[in-house]
Amino acid sequence: MPWRPMIPEDLGQVQVLADAIHVGHPEDPEVLAERQSLYPQGCFMLVEDTRAIGYALTHPWRFAEPPRLNRLLGAIPSPAATYYIHDVALLPEARGKGYAAQITSLLVAHARKAGFDNLSLVAVNKSQIFWEKAGFRVIAVPGLDAKLASYGPDAALMVRDVASL
Ligand SMILES: CC(C)(COP(=O)(O)OP(=O)(O)OC[C@H]1O[C@@H](n2cnc3c(N)ncnc32)[C@H](O)[C@@H]1OP(=O)(O)O)[C@@H](O)C(=O)NCCC(=O)NCCS
């Protein structure tokens, strides 16, 4: 399995990957580091031949209230009604090999074990079809449009039951 837990020493690499993959939607180092420090068990690195080629940042959160992009979370809410996938990002050469599907299965299993009944995310960069294949569906939440716009024009809130598929 080329995915392994992310450690604080990986954060420099995560920033390089994030800046290269999410051009136009940069996130500050403090924002990425906070995710890893608040919920390290939800953060993973994709490594091939010792080279970092992708990452995943995820954590429990409030349902249908996706955090604004590039904002600190402050704390993990308790109770938290959804397992939130902040980002799964692979370099172009790492795509199409099933790595993203692999980490998605791992995240679903983690959410189930942690007692969540759903996972959610904001799909960006035309990734909606990938997430649909992984069992997510778009949901409309009144009043969310302005917040979603901070993620880009095609951003959509998506949800999946842990039990589906
Ligand atoms: C979205 C992303 C993680 C998908 O990674 P990937 O390596 O292409 O995914 P996989 O190889 O695991 O693909 C799983 C399935 O989804 C399909 N798929 C992936 N991206 C797709 C797309 N944009 N359109 C249609 N199908 C897609 C694959 O064909 C595959 O289908 P199959 O199981 O029928 O063969 C990757 O494209 C990426 O990192 N994009 C940039 C960052 C990003 O936008 N992340 C999402 C943030 S919400």
Side-chain angles (χ1 to χ4, degrees):
M1 172 88 155
W3 289 95
R4 63 157 172 81
M6 184 186 291
I7 55 173
E9 290 72 22
D10 291 320
L11 288 165
Q13 276 299 323
V14 174
Q15 187 75 47
V16 170
L17 291 167
D19 290 346
I21 296 167
H22 292 296
V23 181
H25 293 94
E27 290 200 287
D28 294 333
E30 313 82 77
V31 170
L32 301 173
E34 191 208 32
R35 269 18 182 225
Q36 196 278 332
S37 70
L38 286 179
Y39 201 74
Q41 60 271 54
C43 301
F44 299 88
M45 292 300 286
L46 176 60
V47 180
E48 210 176 50
D49 300 330
T50 72
R51 179 173 171 244
I53 53 173
Y55 66 89
L57 294 168
T58 70
H59 54 85
W61 197 243
R62 291 182 286 274
F63 187 74
E65 291 181 38
R68 275 187 188 275
L69 204 61
N70 201 25
R71 293 283 170 86
L72 293 171
L73 299 179
I76 300 294
S78 179
T82 191
Y83 192 77
Y84 186 74
I85 299 180
H86 173 64
D87 197 8
V88 172
L90 276 55
L91 286 176
E93 62 266 32
R95 297 177 198 163
K97 298 179 172 183
Y99 293 149
Q102 217 174 52
I103 192 68
T104 305
S105 301
L106 189 148
L107 293 170
V108 171
H110 174 78
R112 183 182 296 119
K113 203 169 161 194
F116 292 89
D117 60 17
N118 74 84
L119 296 91
S120 59
L121 57 89
V122 174
V124 297
N125 288 339
K126 304 184 175 68
S127 63
Q128 197 174 311
I129 299 176
F130 165 76
W131 294 114
E132 280 170 0
K133 285 196 171 189
F136 289 78
R137 66 181 194 285
V138 174
I139 53 164
V141 176
L144 209 58
D145 290 358
K147 202 187 253 186
L148 288 180
S150 77
Y151 284 78
D154 68 335
L157 183 65
M158 302 186 79
V159 65
R160 182 210 133 123
D161 291 341
V162 289
S164 71
L165 284 190

